[in-house]
Amino acid sequence: VAVLIRPEDIILLPPERTGTNRFPGRVTLVRELGATVEFIVDLGAVSVTVMSMADASHQIQAGTVVTIELPAESSRLLAR
């Protein structure tokens, strides 16, 4: 099964926030794109792209440990 979710629907959280649909990772790339910021987060087995508004995410740098949340209402499952 694959989980499909738009990068702008993924939520970046502090590393201590655990729970359902939340996964620990480390930011490996931060790319400022004007009003938005693109983050690549390494989760171990996979890397995910997260898009966030620049004002809400300016403190996160490459190497920062984070938790990502995949909101269930924004996720789609794809059978392989």
Side-chain angles (χ1 to χ4, degrees), residues 46-69:
V46 298
S47 291
V48 297
T49 300
V50 180
M51 300 295 288
S52 182
M53 297 304 295
D55 59 348
S57 54
H58 67 278
Q59 297 175 354
I60 299 173
Q61 302 173 358
T64 301
V65 175
V66 296
T67 293
I68 65 162
E69 180 178 345

Side-chain angles (χ1 to χ4, degrees), residues 4-77:
L4 306 176
I5 187 168
R6 295 184 60 87
E8 60 270 18
D9 291 335
I10 300 172
I11 301 168
L12 283 175
L13 298 168
E16 63 274 2
R17 302 279 301 268
T18 61
T20 305
N21 296 336
R22 293 182 178 174
F23 305 92
R26 181 177 303 275
V27 175
T28 58
L29 176 75
V30 179
R31 186 177 323 180
E32 295 184 23
L33 303 170
T36 60
V37 179
E38 174 186 36
F39 300 94
I40 304 299
V41 180
D42 179 15
L43 302 178
V46 298
S47 291
V48 297
T49 300
V50 180
M51 300 295 288
S52 182
M53 297 304 295
D55 59 348
S57 54
H58 67 278
Q59 297 175 354
I60 299 173
Q61 302 173 358
T64 301
V65 175
V66 296
T67 293
I68 65 162
E69 180 178 345
L70 307 177
E73 63 275 4
S74 300
S75 303
R76 303 291 178 259
L77 297 179

